[in-house]
Amino acid sequence: MTVEKFFEIFLKELSVTPTLHNYYKFLNDEKSFEFRKAYFISRLQYIADHIKVDDAKIWDCGCGYGTTALFLAMNGHKVYGTTLEFYFDEINSRKEFWSKYGDVNNFTVDYEDVFDNKLPNDKFDYIILQDTLHHIEPMEKSLEIFFKTLKFDGKMIVVEVNGSNIIENIKYIKQRGGFKRIIKIYDEKLQKEILLGNENIRSWKKWKKSFLKVGFKSFEDIKYIRYYLPFSYKGRNAEDMIAKENIKVTNAFLRKYFFFGLCFIAEKN
């Protein structure tokens, strides 16, 4: 299933599933639709383009509502998802919806703190962390777990916020009410306190330093996405804006400080 076809069906699911509207806001505001679509398909296409192994074993850590995991499962991969919070309760009903379009049995999911993980070493071809790694603390300890759990030549696919982006940094300072980047929360299902990165976003330079520290030595396809703000999409479709964005990304200054998304691959070798 292509990303475009998946997105088409995804919109059908949203039309009959109001509980997803607060998170996936495609149907909330027609004016921002193309803007949101461009970011969604750019990130999912990045992940799809880097799954090179047929019938891959994938850990989608922090899978949220399971959207990426469902896409990958219906493309023939075995996906193990882990998540926390309210997302977990929606996943079984989502699997029921998507079962009409492909084999969702390849997607299994647990409610789990990554530091309670008992998975064996050398298990996965890929580990996906999409909007997740800036929430996990202590982050470098989690990277040690991911490194051990990857097969040799396995890859981590990281889809994140660009921590160098000036606008995002201002936004999160306001959202946090200051500079406190790590907090404690009590998880009712786990019955314990856990540390949480309070939108603890990082620059590519900082991510790279942490990955090198735990043993990753090879990185590829470092990509910045989403440059244009919503008002720029007036009268333009997502595909055209992505093409324009690909021209802007060649400017190193804009890439570092004004692109909102950061994707990269880290290989265990």
Side-chain angles (χ1 to χ4, degrees):
M1 182 180 289
T2 65
V3 169
E4 290 77 13
K5 183 63 177 177
F6 180 81
F7 184 76
E8 178 186 321
I9 300 169
F10 180 44
L11 292 179
K12 293 180 183 178
E13 180 192 19
L14 290 179
S15 71
V16 296
T17 317
T19 51
L20 297 177
H21 288 190
N22 284 339
Y23 190 83
Y24 297 108
K25 300 178 181 179
F26 296 103
L27 305 183
N28 294 7
D29 182 1
E30 186 178 342
K31 292 179 181 178
S32 65
F33 176 80
E34 295 293 340
F35 163 75
R36 296 185 188 282
K37 177 185 175 182
Y39 198 43
F40 180 92
I41 64 175
S42 292
R43 286 149 58 96
L44 188 56
Q45 190 66 61
Y46 181 88
I47 293 169
D49 288 345
H50 289 89
I51 305 293
K52 305 291 188 183
V53 176
D54 293 333
D55 191 26
K57 292 181 175 63
I58 302 169
W59 178 11
D60 187 355
C61 181
C63 68
Y65 287 117
T67 301
T68 298
L70 286 163
F71 168 76
L72 293 171
M74 286 184 294
N75 277 288
H77 304 297
K78 293 181 174 65
V79 188
Y80 174 62
T82 53
T83 190
L84 294 173
E85 300 184 301
F86 49 84
Y87 308 105
F88 185 79
D89 298 331
E90 297 289 335
I91 291 177
N92 282 337
S93 61
R94 296 200 71 199
K95 288 177 73 174
E96 185 178 347
F97 174 90
W98 284 96
S99 66
K100 300 188 291 288
Y101 302 97
D103 186 0
V104 298
N105 293 319
N106 284 330
F107 172 33
T108 58
V109 61
D110 282 329
Y111 191 99
E112 182 185 67
D113 178 1
V114 65
F115 299 108
D116 296 334
N117 184 280
K118 304 299 181 187
L119 291 167
N121 294 347
D122 309 311
K123 180 175 177 62
F124 294 106
D125 299 295
Y126 301 95
I127 297 175
I128 297 171
L129 291 132
Q130 184 173 6
D131 292 328
T132 297
L133 203 47
H134 68 266
H135 287 308
I136 301 176
E137 294 295 341
M139 185 270 295
E140 286 185 358
K141 185 178 177 183
S142 76
L143 291 183
E144 293 173 4
I145 294 170
F146 299 136
F147 187 84
K148 291 176 183 176
T149 311
L150 273 176
K151 295 178 181 179
F152 183 78
D153 284 340
K155 296 181 179 181
M156 282 185 64
I157 303 175
V158 180
V159 179
E160 265 289 347
V161 177
N162 174 19
S164 294
N165 181 279
I166 294 170
I167 298 170
E168 289 284 38
N169 275 289
I170 294 170
K171 181 182 80 173
Y172 285 135
I173 290 169
K174 290 182 177 179
Q175 185 174 312
R176 298 183 199 107
F179 296 90
K180 190 174 184 181
R181 288 174 170 260
I182 301 174
I183 58 175
K184 280 185 181 180
I185 64 167
Y186 186 79
D187 189 289
E188 293 288 347
K189 287 190 179 182
L190 296 177
Q191 293 289 293
K192 68 172 187 175
E193 280 191 337
I194 59 174
L195 287 177
L196 185 70
N198 187 16
E199 307 298 347
N200 194 5
I201 61 175
R202 297 165 173 87
S203 65
W204 160 238
K205 185 177 180 180
K206 288 184 178 179
W207 284 126
K208 184 178 180 181
K209 182 179 179 180
S210 294
F211 274 74
L212 288 170
K213 190 174 180 180
V214 301
F216 289 96
K217 295 176 182 173
S218 178
F219 303 93
E220 59 186 70
D221 200 11
I222 301 144
K223 185 173 184 179
Y224 290 82
I225 59 175
R226 213 200 96 192
Y227 170 77
Y228 291 101
L229 295 171
F231 65 82
S232 303
Y233 283 72
K234 186 177 181 181
R236 301 179 178 93
N237 63 40
E239 290 74 17
D240 288 343
M241 295 304 287
I242 290 171
K244 288 184 67 177
E245 179 184 281
N246 288 337
I247 297 171
K248 290 288 185 182
V249 80
T250 58
N251 182 302
F253 180 78
L254 295 180
R255 186 170 64 236
K256 182 174 182 179
Y257 294 110
F258 290 96
F259 273 74
F260 288 82
L262 170 67
C263 309
F264 62 92
I265 308 296
E267 185 173 2
K268 177 180 177 178
N269 53 25

